[in-house]
Structures are given as C-alpha cells and as structure tokens.
Amino acid sequence: MATIYVDPTVTGVGSGTMSDPYKSWSSVVFNHNDIVLQKRGTVANITSQIAINYKSRVKIGAYGN
C-alpha cells in the first residue's frame, strides 16, 4: 500500500511523493490498496486510459487546501 500524489501544475515528471508529485496520471502505477491523491483545485486532462485491475482496491481523492 502506498500513497501517491499527483499535481498537474508542477514542472517535470515527479516521483509521486507529496514533495515531488507526479505531473500526470499516466505516471501512476496502480497497485492493490494504493491511495492516489490529486492536488485540490487542480484539473487533470487525461488523454490516455487508466487501467485498474478489477480485483484491486484503489482509493482516489484530493490533498491540500
């Protein structure tokens, strides 16, 4: 289980941590019980498919103010 952070407004690719979030959802690798949080107030324009194994439980939410 990991908590992964996404912020579409950052420059660079990022590593998925809170201090260095991914820029794109396409960088996220979804694993069972992961929590994926996008920076509150941002919009992600997703142009590719996101695949999640139907047996995996992934929580998606927001972080920040």
Side-chain angles (χ1 to χ4, degrees):
M1 181 175 96
T3 301
I4 302 163
Y5 297 88
V6 179
D7 181 354
T9 66
V10 299
T11 57
V13 178
S15 63
T17 64
M18 184 182 249
S19 61
D20 186 31
Y22 287 132
K23 180 175 180 65
S24 169
W25 280 81
S26 63
S27 298
V28 177
V29 175
F30 294 91
N31 293 303
H32 186 65
N33 285 334
D34 279 354
I35 300 169
V36 183
L37 303 174
Q38 181 169 315
K39 187 173 183 182
R40 190 175 310 281
T42 62
V43 177
N45 294 313
I46 301 170
T47 57
S48 61
Q49 292 182 343
I50 297 174
I52 302 173
N53 182 314
Y54 75 95
K55 292 182 180 179
S56 293
R57 294 177 186 246
V58 176
K59 294 179 184 178
I60 297 175
Y63 73 98
N65 296 336

